Coordinates of all heavy atoms in Angstrom, one line a residue:
A326 N 129.2 -1.2 19.7 CA 129.4 0.1 20.5 C 130.8 0.6 20.5 O 131.1 1.7 20.5 CB 128.9 -0.2 22.0
H327 N 131.8 -0.4 20.6 CA 133.2 0.0 20.7 C 133.6 0.6 19.3 O 134.3 1.5 19.3 CB 134.0 -1.3 20.8 CG 135.5 -1.0 20.9 ND1 136.2 -0.5 21.9 CD2 136.5 -1.4 19.9 CE1 137.5 -0.4 21.5 NE2 137.6 -0.9 20.4
I328 N 133.2 0.1 18.2 CA 133.5 0.7 16.9 C 132.9 2.1 16.8 O 133.7 3.0 16.3 CB 132.9 -0.2 15.8 CG1 133.6 -1.6 15.7 CG2 133.0 0.5 14.4 CD1 132.8 -2.6 14.9
L329 N 131.8 2.2 17.2 CA 131.2 3.6 17.1 C 131.9 4.6 18.1 O 132.1 5.7 17.7 CB 129.6 3.6 17.5 CG 128.8 2.8 16.6 CD1 127.4 2.5 17.2 CD2 128.5 3.7 15.3
Q330 N 132.3 4.1 19.3 CA 133.0 5.0 20.2 C 134.4 5.4 19.6 O 134.7 6.5 19.6 CB 133.1 4.2 21.5 CG 133.8 5.0 22.6 CD 133.7 4.4 23.9 OE1 134.1 3.1 24.0 NE2 133.5 5.1 25.0
E331 N 135.0 4.4 19.0 CA 136.4 4.7 18.4 C 136.2 5.6 17.2 O 137.1 6.4 16.9 CB 137.1 3.4 18.0 CG 137.4 2.4 19.2 CD 138.5 3.1 20.0 OE1 139.7 3.2 19.4 OE2 138.3 3.4 21.2
A332 N 135.1 5.6 16.6 CA 134.8 6.5 15.4 C 134.4 7.8 15.8 O 134.1 8.7 15.0 CB 133.8 5.9 14.5
G333 N 134.2 8.0 17.2 CA 133.8 9.4 17.7 C 132.3 9.6 17.6 O 131.8 10.8 17.8
R334 N 131.4 8.5 17.5 CA 130.0 8.7 17.5 C 129.6 8.5 18.9 O 129.9 7.7 19.6 CB 129.4 7.6 16.6 CG 129.7 7.7 15.1 CD 129.0 8.7 14.3 NE 127.6 8.5 14.3 CZ 127.0 7.7 13.4 NH1 127.7 7.1 12.4 NH2 125.7 7.5 13.4
P335 N 128.6 9.5 19.3 CA 128.0 9.3 20.7 C 127.2 7.9 20.7 O 126.3 7.8 19.9 CB 127.1 10.5 20.8 CG 127.6 11.5 19.8 CD 128.1 10.6 18.6
V336 N 127.5 7.1 21.7 CA 126.9 5.8 21.7 C 126.6 5.3 23.1 O 127.5 5.7 24.1 CB 127.7 4.8 21.0 CG1 129.2 4.6 21.5 CG2 127.0 3.4 20.8
Q337 N 125.6 4.6 23.4 CA 125.3 4.0 24.6 C 125.0 2.6 24.4 O 124.2 2.3 23.4 CB 124.1 4.7 25.4 CG 124.4 6.1 25.7 CD 123.2 6.8 26.4 OE1 123.1 6.7 27.6 NE2 122.4 7.7 25.8
L338 N 125.4 1.7 25.4 CA 125.1 0.2 25.2 C 124.2 -0.1 26.4 O 124.4 0.2 27.5 CB 126.4 -0.5 25.3 CG 126.4 -2.0 25.4 CD1 125.9 -2.6 24.0 CD2 127.8 -2.6 25.6
A339 N 123.1 -0.9 26.1 CA 122.1 -1.2 27.2 C 121.4 -2.4 26.7 O 121.6 -3.1 25.8 CB 121.2 0.0 27.3
G340 N 120.3 -2.7 27.5 CA 119.5 -3.9 27.3 C 119.8 -5.1 28.2 O 119.9 -5.1 29.4
N341 N 120.2 -6.2 27.6 CA 120.5 -7.4 28.2 C 122.0 -7.4 28.7 O 122.5 -8.3 29.2 CB 120.3 -8.6 27.3 CG 120.0 -10.0 28.1 OD1 119.4 -9.8 29.1 ND2 120.7 -11.0 27.7
I342 N 122.7 -6.2 28.4 CA 124.1 -6.1 28.8 C 124.3 -4.7 29.3 O 123.6 -3.7 28.8 CB 125.0 -6.3 27.4 CG1 126.4 -6.2 27.9 CG2 124.6 -5.3 26.4 CD1 127.4 -6.5 26.6
G343 N 125.1 -4.5 30.2 CA 125.4 -3.2 30.7 C 124.2 -2.6 31.5 O 123.6 -3.2 32.3
R344 N 123.8 -1.4 31.1 CA 122.7 -0.7 31.9 C 121.3 -1.2 31.4 O 121.2 -1.6 30.3 CB 123.0 0.8 31.7 CG 124.3 1.3 32.0 CD 124.5 2.7 31.5 NE 123.7 3.7 32.2 CZ 123.7 5.0 31.7 NH1 124.5 5.3 30.7 NH2 122.9 5.9 32.4
G345 N 120.4 -1.0 32.3 CA 119.0 -1.1 32.0 C 118.7 -0.1 30.9 O 119.1 1.0 30.9
V346 N 117.7 -0.5 29.9 CA 117.5 0.3 28.8 C 116.9 1.6 29.1 O 117.2 2.7 28.4 CB 116.7 -0.5 27.9 CG1 115.2 -0.7 28.3 CG2 116.6 0.3 26.4
L347 N 116.0 1.8 30.2 CA 115.6 3.0 30.7 C 116.5 3.8 31.5 O 116.2 4.9 32.0 CB 114.2 2.8 31.3 CG 113.1 2.2 30.4 CD1 111.9 1.8 31.2 CD2 112.7 3.3 29.3
D348 N 117.6 3.3 31.9 CA 118.6 3.9 32.8 C 119.6 4.8 32.0 O 120.2 5.7 32.5 CB 119.4 2.9 33.6 CG 118.7 2.5 34.9 OD1 117.8 3.2 35.4 OD2 119.0 1.5 35.4
I349 N 119.6 4.6 30.7 CA 120.6 5.4 29.9 C 120.2 6.9 29.7 O 119.0 7.2 30.1 CB 120.8 4.8 28.5 CG1 119.5 4.9 27.7 CG2 121.3 3.4 28.6 CD1 119.7 4.6 26.2
D350 N 121.1 7.7 29.4 CA 120.8 9.1 29.2 C 119.8 9.3 28.0 O 120.0 8.5 27.0 CB 122.1 10.0 29.0 CG 123.0 9.9 30.2 OD1 122.6 9.8 31.2 OD2 124.2 9.9 29.9
L351 N 118.9 10.2 28.1 CA 118.0 10.4 27.0 C 118.8 10.8 25.7 O 119.5 11.8 25.7 CB 117.1 11.6 27.3 CG 116.0 11.9 26.3 CD1 115.1 10.7 26.1 CD2 115.3 13.1 26.7
P352 N 118.8 9.9 24.7 CA 119.6 10.2 23.4 C 118.9 11.3 22.6 O 117.7 11.4 22.6 CB 119.7 8.8 22.8 CG 118.4 8.1 23.2 CD 118.1 8.7 24.6
G353 N 119.8 11.9 21.8 CA 119.2 12.9 20.9 C 119.6 12.6 19.5 O 120.2 11.5 19.2
E354 N 119.3 13.5 18.5 CA 119.6 13.3 17.2 C 121.1 13.1 16.9 O 121.8 14.0 17.5 CB 119.1 14.5 16.4 CG 119.1 14.2 14.9 CD 118.3 15.3 14.0 OE1 117.7 16.2 14.7 OE2 118.4 15.2 12.8
G355 N 121.4 12.1 16.2 CA 122.8 11.8 15.9 C 123.5 10.8 16.9 O 124.5 10.3 16.6
D356 N 122.9 10.5 18.0 CA 123.3 9.5 19.0 C 123.0 8.1 18.4 O 122.0 8.0 17.7 CB 122.7 9.8 20.4 CG 123.2 11.0 21.0 OD1 124.0 11.8 20.4 OD2 122.7 11.3 22.1
V357 N 123.6 7.1 18.9 CA 123.3 5.8 18.6 C 123.1 5.0 20.0 O 124.0 5.1 20.9 CB 124.4 5.1 17.8 CG1 124.1 3.7 17.5 CG2 124.7 5.9 16.5
V358 N 122.1 4.2 19.9 CA 121.8 3.3 21.2 C 122.0 1.9 20.6 O 121.3 1.5 19.7 CB 120.5 3.5 21.7 CG1 120.3 2.5 22.9 CG2 120.3 5.0 22.4
V359 N 122.8 1.0 21.3 CA 123.0 -0.3 20.9 C 122.4 -1.1 21.9 O 122.7 -1.1 23.2 CB 124.5 -0.7 20.7 CG1 124.7 -2.2 20.3 CG2 125.2 0.2 19.6
L360 N 121.5 -2.0 21.6 CA 120.7 -2.9 22.5 C 121.0 -4.3 22.2 O 120.9 -4.8 21.1 CB 119.2 -2.6 22.4 CG 118.6 -1.2 22.7 CD1 117.1 -1.2 22.4 CD2 119.1 -0.7 24.0
E361 N 121.4 -5.0 23.3 CA 121.4 -6.5 23.2 C 120.0 -7.0 23.8 O 119.6 -6.6 24.9 CB 122.4 -7.2 24.1 CG 122.4 -8.6 24.0 CD 123.2 -9.3 25.1 OE1 124.1 -8.7 25.6 OE2 122.9 -10.4 25.4
L362 N 119.3 -7.7 22.9 CA 117.9 -8.1 23.3 C 117.8 -9.7 23.3 O 118.2 -10.4 22.3 CB 116.9 -7.6 22.4 CG 116.8 -6.1 22.3 CD1 115.7 -5.6 21.3 CD2 116.6 -5.5 23.7
S363 N 117.3 -10.2 24.5 CA 117.1 -11.7 24.5 C 115.7 -11.9 23.9 O 114.9 -11.1 23.7 CB 117.1 -12.1 26.1 OG 116.0 -11.6 26.7
S364 N 115.5 -13.3 23.8 CA 114.2 -13.7 23.3 C 113.0 -13.3 24.2 O 112.0 -13.1 23.8 CB 114.2 -15.2 23.0 OG 114.6 -15.9 24.1
Y365 N 113.4 -13.3 25.5 CA 112.3 -13.0 26.5 C 111.9 -11.6 26.2 O 110.7 -11.1 26.4 CB 112.8 -13.1 27.9 CG 113.3 -14.4 28.4 CD1 114.0 -14.5 29.6 CD2 113.1 -15.5 27.7 CE1 114.5 -15.8 30.1 CE2 113.4 -16.8 28.1 CZ 114.2 -16.9 29.3 OH 114.6 -18.1 29.7
Q366 N 112.9 -10.7 25.9 CA 112.6 -9.3 25.7 C 111.8 -9.0 24.3 O 110.9 -8.3 24.3 CB 113.9 -8.5 25.9 CG 114.5 -8.4 27.2 CD 115.9 -8.0 27.2 OE1 116.7 -8.4 26.4 NE2 116.1 -7.1 28.2
T367 N 112.4 -9.7 23.3 CA 111.7 -9.4 22.0 C 110.4 -10.0 21.9 O 109.5 -9.4 21.2 CB 112.6 -10.0 20.8 OG1 112.7 -11.4 21.0 CG2 113.9 -9.3 20.8
E368 N 110.1 -11.0 22.6 CA 108.8 -11.7 22.5 C 107.6 -10.9 23.2 O 106.5 -10.9 22.6 CB 108.8 -13.1 23.3 CG 107.5 -13.7 23.2 CD 107.5 -15.1 23.8 OE1 108.0 -15.2 25.0 OE2 107.2 -16.1 23.2
L369 N 107.9 -10.1 24.2 CA 106.9 -9.4 24.9 C 106.8 -8.0 24.5 O 105.7 -7.4 24.7 CB 107.2 -9.5 26.4 CG 106.2 -8.9 27.4 CD1 104.8 -9.7 27.2 CD2 106.6 -9.2 28.8
A370 N 107.8 -7.2 24.1 CA 107.8 -5.8 23.9 C 106.7 -5.5 22.8 O 106.7 -6.0 21.8 CB 109.1 -5.4 23.3
R371 N 105.9 -4.5 23.2 CA 104.7 -4.1 22.3 C 105.3 -3.1 21.3 O 104.5 -2.9 20.3 CB 103.6 -3.5 23.2 CG 102.9 -4.6 24.1 CD 102.1 -3.9 25.1 NE 101.0 -3.1 24.6 CZ 99.8 -3.5 24.1 NH1 99.6 -4.8 24.2 NH2 98.9 -2.6 23.7
A372 N 106.3 -2.6 21.5 CA 106.9 -1.7 20.5 C 108.4 -2.1 20.2 O 109.2 -2.3 21.1 CB 106.9 -0.2 21.0
L373 N 108.7 -2.2 18.9 CA 110.0 -2.6 18.5 C 110.3 -1.9 17.2 O 109.8 -2.3 16.1 CB 110.2 -4.2 18.2 CG 110.2 -5.0 19.5 CD1 110.0 -6.5 19.0 CD2 111.5 -4.9 20.2
T374 N 111.1 -0.8 17.2 CA 111.3 0.0 15.9 C 112.9 0.2 15.8 O 113.2 1.4 15.8 CB 110.6 1.2 16.0 OG1 110.8 2.0 17.3 CG2 109.0 0.9 15.9
P375 N 113.7 -0.7 15.7 CA 115.2 -0.4 15.6 C 115.4 0.1 14.1 O 114.7 -0.2 13.1 CB 115.9 -1.8 15.7 CG 114.8 -2.8 15.4 CD 113.5 -2.2 15.8
D376 N 116.5 0.9 14.1 CA 116.9 1.3 12.6 C 117.7 0.1 12.0 O 117.7 -0.1 10.8 CB 117.8 2.5 12.7 CG 117.0 3.7 13.3 OD1 116.3 4.4 12.5 OD2 117.1 4.0 14.5
V377 N 118.6 -0.6 12.7 CA 119.3 -1.7 12.3 C 119.1 -2.9 13.3 O 119.2 -2.7 14.4 CB 120.9 -1.4 12.2 CG1 121.6 -2.6 11.7 CG2 121.1 -0.2 11.3
A378 N 118.6 -4.0 12.7 CA 118.3 -5.2 13.6 C 119.4 -6.2 13.1 O 119.6 -6.4 11.9 CB 116.9 -5.6 13.4
V379 N 119.9 -6.9 14.1 CA 121.0 -7.9 13.9 C 120.5 -9.2 14.4 O 120.1 -9.3 15.6 CB 122.3 -7.6 14.6 CG1 123.4 -8.6 14.3 CG2 122.7 -6.2 14.1

Side-chain angles (χ1 to χ4, degrees):
H327 176 77
I328 294 167
L329 291 163
Q330 186 174 41
E331 292 295 292
R334 297 281 295 272
V336 61
Q337 298 183 77
L338 178 64
N341 206 43
I342 184 175
R344 302 165 70 185
V346 67
L347 294 170
D348 275 339
I349 67 173
D350 298 331
L351 184 64
E354 188 171 0
D356 293 359
V357 182
V358 178
V359 181
L360 301 179
E361 179 196 337
L362 299 181
S363 72
S364 55
Y365 299 170
Q366 294 168 312
T367 57
E368 182 178 52
L369 188 58
R371 291 167 59 84
L373 287 166
T374 54
D376 297 278
V377 179
V379 180

